[in-house]
Amino acid sequence: MSTPITSMKDLPSTHLLGTGTSLCAGCGGLLSLHQAYDLLGARTVFVNAAGCMTLLATYPFTPFRSSWLYTTMASAPAGAQGIRDALDILIAKGQLSPEEDLTAVVLTGDGAAYGMGLAATSAAIDRGLDFLYLCYDNEGYGNTGQQYSPATPHGALTATSRGSRGYPGYKKDLFAIWVANRPTYVATVVGAEPLDLAKKVERARSLKGPRLILALAPCPTGWDFNPQDAVEIGRLAVRTGVWPLKEYIDGRVVHTRIPHPRLPVEEYLRLQGRFRHLFEPERNEPLIQEIQRHVDAYWAEVES
Amino acid sequence: MTRVLLTGNAAAAWGARLADVDYVPAFPITPQTEIIETLANWSTNGVIPARVVTLESEHSMLTAAAAAAATGVRVFTATSSQGLLYGIEMVYAAPGWRVPLVLVNVSRGLASPITLESDHNDLLATRDAGFLTLVCATVQEVLDSVLIAYRVAEDDRVRLPAIVNLDGFILSFTREPVVLPSHEDARRFLPPYDARLLGFRASQPIAQAVAVLGGSSYSYFRYQIHLAELQALSVLDEVEAEFATVFGRRYGPIETYQTDDAEIVFFMMGALATKAKAAVDRLREAGERVGLVRLRLLRPFPVQAIRRALAGKGAVAVIDQNVSMGKGGVLHAELASALYGAAGAPPILASYIGGLGGRDIQAAEFYEIAREVKRAATRGVTPEPRLLYTEAELRQIKELQAIALAERQEIEAGT
């Protein structure tokens, strides 16, 4: 992309990802993939780990105009390592023209990114691997029916946390884990904020080294909401401060959107069946307040 | 062509060097580490052009290996034991990618209990995955098999990954005289890698290793792997004939030793088979008609060659350096399925398990086995499977148990 992206008018009008995939209606992960892919372009090879997106390429169909390699749940970054090294070797030997080069894009859900694949990810960062990691974070093992994962937020009902208090743990801070490894670039995005997403993908694309685009992926089936609300829920995640939009670059974390005024978290929670137990049959004020306090504490630190 | 003294590990590294490998994803594990250290040092010093990258686990190492091979470079990697099991998901995945990489496994017993020394249970965990599998008995064979493995794996009729196995310690750290092929001869035998349809290119996007829906598609691709493995039998034969032309050495899917007139035959694989050979010599000196069949090609399983070698024999003693828990020796079961119903199949197929976790198999044990199966052949009654263990060993383990018990009693007594 030659001109920098400053407004919605600068976003690509042609779309690379084919339609008619087997993913759910209203999939927030697919929304961010669509947008990111248009900017990354067709000269990419997607290296996939087990998750919802694995079903995108199902023999004999693929919605991608680029290459694709399914690996395992735990080792997609290592797959990217093998591809990157092999492309470099072939180019160095003169067996591959530099025009044929590809960007290795690891595409996984939160199950791989926050848990099973974390060692492989951390090691790829250690090695300074030149790759982009696109994580669609639907806050649970979505492809198997939304069991809780290390990315599940406090209090959410999942298939394995059905009690009245929902998931007892707290969402792991993958952004901070990446930042602690000193990669080139880390950003959070959501498909409901396409301009912010586009600017970050564009920035990531212009850089070399380990880069993460961490996309909150509102999940109609896993979070239990009407597919038509996917975009609204994404917006509310940002405007309530539940999902901070930020980036790490040149050793600094910058928030790209400071929600002001910040809406009460309740407005985000209310639309989702996974939090319905906070409101019905009776309101669970302490738990709602606990979630609110966590968000408030985060932003108090940011704004201090 | 020069003669040098090399360890089994160094021979494996030399095999990779002479194969002009492009890429070596690595992870250290005893007793394999010397292989990747050797290659890493050669790479650092510019002796070989290959890129050596240390991953954080064997699972990642094998993923990187298969992904690089799928991108179109010649890949070599090595592991052992727990590492092989840690990466086993990719051992099963890689054959379906149809990537002809070579993996050297330096056999070592599996936990538990954890140990460092050799047996074959690690290798046998890969048995059904779709790797071609060559099991070596000498250091020379290790080097040669790496070159041969690439030729067979990269053949259009096969296109599968390959494992070259050597026994930990007894082969990995033993120096033997090795005829080192010249680089020119090696290149004559093994031309530069042609990736064929493999490769990720901007101009030619490809979706690799995609999901299938339904058992019909799945079965089709699984059968393809199996049939390609079976084709490797004749391909190996061709390739080894060519190898013999260039280097003057020929191996085959099995090695037979003194089998022509043998009444009883030892059947085993790996380096301890060289001890069986020595036992055959002694037994022959004593007038016994004993021979040895050493399985070299574990996969594809050379059924016809085995049937031919064993047809008309009175008894076969299968010596397994592994245990399928609750069943017994794996090679015994493999051999039984190959021989059952075959013309001239030996009436006696006896099972012995020994050599686990570096435990030696003594000459006296080979003699005892020969004595037992000879008697079995005469009587026509197959002996019960035996777990080789001597009275001296039993006394020793009792002593260790007594020490362990005494230690615990001391702790419990608070002294």
Side-chain angles (χ1 to χ4, degrees), chain A residues 1-301:
Chain A
M1 203 115 334
S2 48
T3 51
I5 294 168
T6 53
S7 79
M8 290 291 283
K9 283 185 298 194
D10 300 324
L11 300 185
S13 54
T14 53
H15 301 300
L16 284 178
L17 196 71
T19 53
T21 71
S22 56
L23 268 60
C24 308
C27 173
L30 194 59
L31 184 63
S32 25
L33 174 63
H34 254 296
Q35 296 172 24
Y37 187 27
D38 287 343
L39 293 156
L40 293 172
R43 281 175 52 175
T44 43
V45 49
F46 286 91
V47 189
N48 179 238
C52 297
M53 299 283 182
T54 301
L55 295 174
L56 282 175
T58 307
Y59 191 80
F61 303 111
T62 171
F64 294 96
R65 288 170 200 231
S66 320
S67 287
W68 167 274
L69 177 68
Y70 171 73
T71 55
T72 69
M73 186 152 179
S75 62
Q81 180 83 46
I83 292 173
R84 181 67 268 149
D85 287 338
L87 288 169
D88 288 345
I89 289 165
L90 290 169
I91 291 168
K93 286 172 82 176
Q95 292 177 358
L96 191 71
S97 132
E99 286 77 54
E100 294 280 27
D101 197 14
L102 300 167
T103 301
V105 180
V106 168
L107 177 68
T108 86
D110 50 284
Y114 284 72
M116 202 192 273
L118 196 49
T121 305
S122 178
I125 302 169
D126 298 343
R127 294 186 297 264
L129 176 64
D130 183 25
F131 80 120
L132 196 146
Y133 196 131
L134 178 58
C135 170
Y136 54 98
D137 178 0
N138 61 9
E139 305 194 318
Y141 299 115
N143 200 35
T144 46
Q146 199 70 8
Q147 299 75 27
Y148 68 77
S149 83
T152 300
H154 186 59
L157 281 192
T158 70
T160 43
S161 58
R162 291 189 194 276
S164 61
R165 293 186 56 80
Y167 176 58
Y170 294 84
K171 187 178 177 72
K172 185 147 87 184
D173 191 348
L174 188 65
F175 183 93
I177 290 170
W178 266 72
V179 166
N181 272 32
R182 302 265 160 206
T184 309
Y185 186 71
V186 191
T188 58
V189 301
V190 62
E193 297 289 349
L195 186 56
D196 180 78
L197 183 149
K199 286 177 180 174
K200 287 168 175 170
V201 171
E202 195 55 16
R203 192 158 305 145
R205 205 176 76 109
S206 70
L207 299 166
K208 294 262 179 214
R211 294 152 284 162
L212 171 68
I213 301 287
L214 180 57
L216 184 70
C219 173
T221 47
W223 299 6
D224 187 14
F225 63 78
N226 191 326
Q228 72 184 18
D229 292 334
V231 171
E232 182 60 16
I233 284 172
R235 282 196 190 120
L236 284 169
V238 175
R239 293 171 68 190
T240 56
V242 166
W243 186 249
L245 294 176
K246 55 187 171 179
E247 62 185 355
Y248 164 86
I249 187 167
D250 297 333
R252 284 197 319 132
V253 174
V254 177
H255 283 76
T256 54
R257 180 81 56 86
I258 295 180
H260 196 75
R262 190 150 45 79
L263 302 177
V265 292
E266 191 177 331
E267 296 197 22
Y268 170 69
L269 304 175
R270 263 191 182 287
L271 288 177
Q272 304 172 48
R274 64 174 174 161
F275 292 115
R276 193 166 297 132
H277 60 295
L278 302 185
F279 305 98
E280 295 169 14
E282 58 199 25
R283 196 176 161 87
N284 186 341
E285 195 61 32
L287 192 45
I288 296 169
Q289 284 313 312
E290 190 193 348
I291 294 168
Q292 183 67 60
R293 272 200 310 279
H294 274 278
V295 173
D296 291 347
Y298 177 88
W299 288 103
E301 200 175 315

Side-chain angles (χ1 to χ4, degrees), chain B residues 330-350:
Chain B
V330 173
L331 291 186
H332 181 259
E334 295 265 296
L335 198 55
S337 75
L339 294 176
Y340 187 83
I348 302 294
L349 192 61

Side-chain angles (χ1 to χ4, degrees), chain B residues 10 33 54 68 88 105 108 116 120 149 174 190 194 201 206 210 214 221 267 276 290 300 308 333 342 382 385:
Chain B
T33 309
T54 302
I88 200 88
N105 182 59
R108 163 184 152 186
L116 295 175
H120 296 150
T174 301
L190 178 67
D194 181 350
R201 311 277 180 273
I206 183 172
V210 298
F221 291 113
F267 185 92
V290 181
R308 273 196 303 275
T382 301

Side-chain angles (χ1 to χ4, degrees), chain B residues 120-156:
Chain B
H120 296 150
N121 262 115
D122 60 348
L123 178 69
L124 289 166
T126 72
R127 183 192 63 175
D128 306 333
F131 272 65
L132 314 167
T133 306
L134 293 164
V135 186
C136 302
T138 68
V139 173
Q140 181 76 59
E141 191 185 344
V142 171
L143 191 157
D144 293 347
S145 294
V146 171
L147 297 173
I148 290 165
Y150 276 111
R151 270 293 301 274
V152 180
E154 291 173 5
D155 191 282
D156 277 348

